[in-house]
């Protein structure tokens, strides 16, 4: 029976890169359900397929074989327009924050609203500044990324991901380039804001120091989900 609360509902998902003799399978028979409001951490060695799975869930890449339902919508076989629509429900936090260096902090955050096409410029500016205040950057709204610390850049990236109040927050190694204090601050902030907004979090990490925030931990190895555990086990 399908879990009616599952916002991420993946069954028998396979994925390949390349074609012909170069075709290589990178994900094998993935089955994963994540419920509304859950914080799930995905661990595993480099090259195990974690980022690939994250991009399939996000709609950044089209799933090929099996079922990948996000908020009840099937992404396997989805059109480009349907994938764009799916991405509007996500907030994606990249490993290297992916800020535009020619834009200020507030302008970077506004990019998280532009995809929706329903806000005026004034509304986007106001919402972006309010979100930056939420992440403790009220004094940095007009700073360019080159004038921000690593932790501050990641806070801008979190603000951009959460400004549209997404149903799902997807994060790829958000603490990888940060020291232990900045990493903990960033994860605590992401947890707090997403919980306040009722978002589901799927976070890829190698950082053992942040595993305690998880409701559940899943482990991916050689393209296969091999273990499921609760953070308090």
């Amino acid at each position: 029976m399908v879990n009616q609360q599952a916002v991420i509902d993946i069954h028998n998902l396979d994925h390949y890169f390349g074609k012909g003799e170069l075709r290589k399978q990178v994900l094998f028979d993935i089955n994963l359900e994540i419920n509304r409001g859950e914080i799930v951490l995905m661990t595993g060695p480099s090259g195990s397929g974690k980022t690939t799975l994250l991009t399939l869930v996000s709609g950044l890449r089209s799933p090929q074989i099996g079922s990948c339902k996000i908020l009840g919508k099937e992404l396997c076989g989805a059109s480009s327009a349907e994938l764009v629509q799916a991405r509007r429900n996500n907030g994606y936090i990249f490993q290297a924050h992916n800020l535009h260096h020619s834009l200020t902090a507030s302008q970077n955050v506004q990019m998280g609203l532009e995809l929706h096409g329903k806000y005026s410029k004034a509304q986007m500016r106001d919402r972006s500044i309010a979100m930056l205040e939420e992440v403790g950057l009220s004094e940095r709204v007009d700073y360019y990324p080159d004038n921000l610390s690593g932790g501050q850049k990641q806070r801008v990236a979190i603000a951009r991901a959460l400004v549209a109040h997404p149903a799902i927050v997807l994060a790829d190694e958000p603490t990888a380039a940060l020291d232990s204090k900045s990493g903990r601050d960033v994860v605590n902030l992401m947890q707090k804001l997403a919980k306040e907004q009722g978002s589901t979090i799927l976070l890829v990490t190698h950082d053992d120091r942040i595993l305690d925030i998880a409701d559940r931990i899943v482990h991916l190895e050689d393209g296969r989900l091999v273990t499921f555990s609760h953070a308090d086990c």
Side-chain angles (χ1 to χ4, degrees), residues 6-20:
V7 297
I8 297 173
D9 191 15
I10 300 171
H11 292 282
N12 309 118
L13 183 69
D14 295 336
H15 196 76
Y16 298 80
F17 287 144
K19 295 181 179 180

Side-chain angles (χ1 to χ4, degrees), residues 50-87:
K50 303 185 302 298
T51 295
T52 298
L53 182 55
L54 208 65
T55 58
L56 294 175
V57 170
S58 70
L60 290 172
R61 181 178 278 125
S62 179
Q64 296 166 342
I65 298 171
S67 177
C68 182
K69 290 183 179 178
I70 308 300
L71 296 170
K73 302 292 185 181
E74 179 62 72
L75 298 190
C76 271
S79 66
S80 296
E82 288 169 332
L83 291 175
V84 169
Q85 184 60 43
R87 290 197 288 272

Side-chain angles (χ1 to χ4, degrees), residues 101-166:
H101 289 272
S102 62
L103 301 179
T104 65
S106 64
Q107 289 169 337
N108 268 285
V109 175
Q110 285 178 51
M111 293 182 67
L113 295 169
E114 288 173 355
L115 181 66
H116 296 264
K118 62 181 181 181
Y119 302 102
S120 68
K121 287 185 177 181
Q123 287 174 322
M124 288 193 291
R125 169 78 177 172
D126 290 346
R127 287 178 68 114
S128 298
I129 290 174
M131 196 71 231
L132 286 167
E133 289 173 351
E134 286 278 348
V135 302
L137 292 177
S138 59
E139 304 299 319
R140 299 288 189 272
V141 295
D142 292 321
Y143 278 51
Y144 288 91
D146 287 346
N147 296 319
L148 299 173
S149 69
Q152 289 170 339
K153 290 176 186 176
Q154 200 63 301
R155 285 169 178 260
V156 175
I158 291 171
R160 179 180 60 191
L162 295 179
V163 68
H165 290 206

Side-chain angles (χ1 to χ4, degrees), residues 3 5-11 30-43 53 191 195 200-205 210-220 225 227-233:
N3 188 335
Q5 284 193 318
V7 297
I8 297 173
D9 191 15
I10 300 171
H11 292 282
I30 302 296
N31 291 277
L32 177 64
E33 291 183 0
I34 301 177
N35 295 332
R36 188 174 303 280
E38 260 195 302
I39 298 177
V40 175
L41 268 56
M42 181 161 51
T43 64
L53 182 55
Q191 178 188 31
K195 283 295 188 183
T200 299
I201 299 177
L202 176 58
L203 188 154
V204 167
T205 188
I210 66 170
L211 299 182
D212 58 296
I213 73 160
D215 296 314
R216 187 156 46 106
I217 300 168
V218 299
H219 186 76
L220 194 66
L225 281 175
T227 58
F228 295 79
S229 63
H230 288 276
D232 58 353
C233 289

